[in-house]
């Protein structure tokens, strides 16, 4: 059983604390993605799991065993690094089998495991090439192969795709998902790329400044971000986040934005919004369209604005609009043609409205 438990784990470099007591349970065979901006502590956390960094406080356990003081090779984990770390003078077969040779596994077993991994990764033809004779994508596969041959209970990936070009990255994302099914092991995957996180993870753990901000299934995070950080980080293009003040009466609260824009707040159970409160309002670009694209919305969810910038992407168009002093990004159907300077009627799906307290940045609606 490869259930990993992280309890109050702290990392300090000298006097500087960079991971501040994180708690996380990762189930056997789960695919968990750590995502967050550069410097938030993703690699440090992964390296503590691998045993490459000492744990300054708290405990980590795999199954029932505390691993804090266990040597990396005894943890049943294998790590794939961003820069692949292949041995340049060894061919693919030797790179992949190196760890098993060190462990003095029998020759036939080594051959069998390398061939099995090569088949999973489509590397059979390249076993006798040196890394310099491989493309970036192939080197990346060799690095994964080196982990696979060890039959670890937990795979650790640190930004494994970030050195590949965009197209190859998309392909390798699909490969990663297939790999998870084939190896049937726990995967912990680190990335700063929210698209990778959304597409790969059974569960996403969002980190910021050495803390876990939120964790959950990709679509849970997308639908219910706990604060403005997660709201702005998850989803592409990023959510519109706009300052506003709550006005109106108790039973008909309104959002008064900068400039003239006013929108109603549909009544909702559990809402903690109060009159006069300063808030940050979140509306995703796909919930904000040109009139007619979301039939059936109430009249007071419609507003007019002036088109500022148009970015056609073919299948859709990103339209930057000035709504009486509040600038927003709307995602519209590809075929609709609008030009900068046009006055347009927009409609906002306020069923998907997000409201955050301006001071705490936490979700309050
Ligand atoms: N060996 C080190 N000594 C001192 N500080 C470090 C060391 N390694 C990482 N850090 C600091 O720890 C923080 C987290 O780093 P890291 O885990 O690499 O972030 P991420 O992988 O999320 O980009 C950063 O502020 C970084 O500068
Ligand atoms: Mg890192």
């Amino acid at each position: 059983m490869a259930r990993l438990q992280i309890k109050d784990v702290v990392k300090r470099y000298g006097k500087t604390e960079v991971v501040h007591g994180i708690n996380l349970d990762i189930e056997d065979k789960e695919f968990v993605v750590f995502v967050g901006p550069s410097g938030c502590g993703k690699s440090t956390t992964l390296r503590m799991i691998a045993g490459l960094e000492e744990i300054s406080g708290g405990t980590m356990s795999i199954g029932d065993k505390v691993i804090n003081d266990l040597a990396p090779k005894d943890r049943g984990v294998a790590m794939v690094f961003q820069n692949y770390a292949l041995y340049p003078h060894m061919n693919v077969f030797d790179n992949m089998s190196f760890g098993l040779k060190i462990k003095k596994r029998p020759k036939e077993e080594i051959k069998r495991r390398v061939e099995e991994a090569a088949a999973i990764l489509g590397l059979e033809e390249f076993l006798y090439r040196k890394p310099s004779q491989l493309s970036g994508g192939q080197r990346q596969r060799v690095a994964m192969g080196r982990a696979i041959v060890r039959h670890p209970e937990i795979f650790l990936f640190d930004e494994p795709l970030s050195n590949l070009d965009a197209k190859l990255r998309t392909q390798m994302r699909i490969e990663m998902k297939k790999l998870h099914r084939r190896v049937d092991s726990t995967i912990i995957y680190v990335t700063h790329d929210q698209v990778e996180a959304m597409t790969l993870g059974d569960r996403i753990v969002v980190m910021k400044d050495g803390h876990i901000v939120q964790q959950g299934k990709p679509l849970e995070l997308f639908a219910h971000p706990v604060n403005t950080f997660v709201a702005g980080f998850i989803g592409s293009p990023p959510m519109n986040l706009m300052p506003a003040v709550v006005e109106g009466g108790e039973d008909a609260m309104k959002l008064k934005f900068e400039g003239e824009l006013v929108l109603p707040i549909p009544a909702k159970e559990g809402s903690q919004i109060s009159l006069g409160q300063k808030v940050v309002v979140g509306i995703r670009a796909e919930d904000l369209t040109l009139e007619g694209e979301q039939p059936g919305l109430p009249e007071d969810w419609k507003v007019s604005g002036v088109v500022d910038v148009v970015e056609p992407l073919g299948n859709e168009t990103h339209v930057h609009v000035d709504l009486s002093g509040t600038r927003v990004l709307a995602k519209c159907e590809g075929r609709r043609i609008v030009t900068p300077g046009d006055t347009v009627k927009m409609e906002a799906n306020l069923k998907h409205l997000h409201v955050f307290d301006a001071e705490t940045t936490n979700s309050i609606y």
Side-chain angles (χ1 to χ4, degrees):
M1 264 292 288
R3 177 166 183 234
L4 173 73
Q5 281 181 292
I6 299 179
K7 248 191 125 202
D8 302 323
V9 162
V10 171
K11 177 65 191 178
R12 277 182 292 266
Y13 289 109
K15 283 193 183 130
T16 316
E17 192 174 288
V18 298
V19 174
H20 312 289
I22 57 171
N23 288 284
L24 190 65
D25 266 13
I26 295 173
E27 295 301 326
D28 193 27
K29 306 197 195 315
E30 216 184 343
F31 195 142
V32 172
V33 180
F34 293 175
V35 70
S38 177
C40 70
K42 307 178 297 291
S43 296
T44 305
T45 305
L46 204 68
R47 292 171 62 83
M48 285 192 283
I49 299 170
L52 303 173
E53 292 284 351
E54 204 177 312
I55 299 168
S56 317
T59 54
M60 285 200 191
S61 25
I62 296 178
D64 309 328
K65 198 159 46 169
V66 174
I67 59 165
N68 286 44
D69 299 318
L70 210 57
K73 64 177 177 41
D74 299 325
R75 295 185 179 203
V77 306
M79 183 145 164
V80 178
F81 299 90
Q82 178 177 351
N83 61 7
Y84 316 144
L86 301 179
Y87 302 111
H89 58 287
M90 289 184 193
N91 66 27
V92 170
F93 186 97
D94 292 338
N95 260 289
M96 277 165 57
S97 58
F98 188 73
L100 298 177
K101 275 186 194 145
I102 297 283
K103 281 194 162 177
K104 301 212 164 38
R105 309 303 306 177
K107 262 209 167 112
E108 300 74 60
E109 182 190 327
I110 293 179
K111 186 160 177 292
R112 182 166 43 78
R113 286 203 195 185
V114 170
E115 282 170 358
E116 178 192 86
I120 290 178
L121 296 163
L123 282 174
E124 295 106 319
E125 317 161 38
F126 305 108
L127 283 175
Y128 300 99
R129 285 204 201 168
K130 298 264 174 69
S132 61
Q133 299 164 316
L134 299 174
S135 70
Q138 290 160 346
R139 281 179 217 168
Q140 210 285 328
R141 281 166 210 255
V142 178
M144 298 214 294
R146 210 164 42 173
I148 292 171
V149 297
R150 297 175 53 193
H151 293 181
E153 288 191 282
I154 304 180
F155 283 89
L156 306 173
F157 289 95
D158 194 354
E159 312 235 13
L161 307 187
S162 53
N163 288 341
L164 306 178
D165 64 48
K167 188 158 175 227
L168 195 52
R169 224 163 36 225
T170 312
Q171 267 172 24
M172 290 304 290
R173 264 198 339 246
I174 299 164
E175 300 285 321
M176 282 296 311
K177 280 194 111 134
K178 287 191 190 157
L179 177 73
H180 182 225
R181 249 183 294 159
R182 292 284 297 265
V183 297
D184 202 25
S185 310
T186 308
I187 293 185
I188 307 174
Y189 186 104
V190 160
T191 179
H192 64 274
D193 177 354
Q194 63 89 23
V195 176
E196 245 171 59
M198 290 292 282
T199 50
L200 285 174
D202 296 324
R203 186 151 57 110
I204 299 180
V205 176
V206 183
M207 292 186 71
K208 180 175 184 256
D209 301 336
H211 294 279
I212 292 176
V213 188
Q214 187 174 6
Q215 49 167 303
K217 293 198 173 89
L219 295 181
E220 274 169 21
L221 297 200
F222 185 82
H224 306 291
V226 294
N227 61 20
T228 53
F229 175 76
V230 179
F233 193 76
I234 299 284
S236 171
M239 190 188 278
N240 291 293
L241 290 168
M242 307 156 285
V245 179
V246 181
E247 292 186 349
E250 281 296 347
D251 48 357
M253 289 200 275
K254 290 179 166 48
L255 295 162
K256 166 90 175 68
F257 293 84
E258 281 168 1
E260 304 291 310
L261 180 65
V262 176
L263 284 171
I265 306 176
K268 183 169 160 184
E269 212 172 306
S271 161
Q272 300 153 38
I273 301 176
S274 41
L275 284 176
Q277 190 169 10
K278 286 191 176 142
V279 296
V280 174
V281 177
I283 302 179
R284 291 204 183 274
E286 52 270 37
D287 295 323
L288 194 58
T289 58
L290 296 172
E291 192 182 25
E293 291 184 24
Q294 305 181 83
L297 297 185
E299 273 312 305
D300 61 350
W301 294 8
K302 298 180 184 175
V303 288
S304 60
V306 178
V307 175
D308 186 13
V309 176
V310 179
E311 300 174 285
L313 298 169
N315 59 329
E316 63 191 40
T317 303
H318 292 179
V319 185
H320 299 258
V321 187
D322 183 335
L323 298 176
S324 322
T326 295
R327 289 186 45 97
V328 292
L329 171 62
K331 202 154 134 178
C332 302
E333 255 182 44
R335 278 160 294 181
R336 297 285 287 268
I337 309 254
V338 287
T339 338
D342 285 357
T343 297
V344 288
K345 194 98 184 269
M346 313 279 305
E347 52 195 14
N349 188 347
L350 301 183
K351 271 183 259 171
H352 301 152
L353 180 71
H354 300 268
V355 185
F356 307 93
D357 182 85
E359 209 146 298
T360 65
T361 78
N362 292 332
S363 172
I364 49 170
Y365 176 76

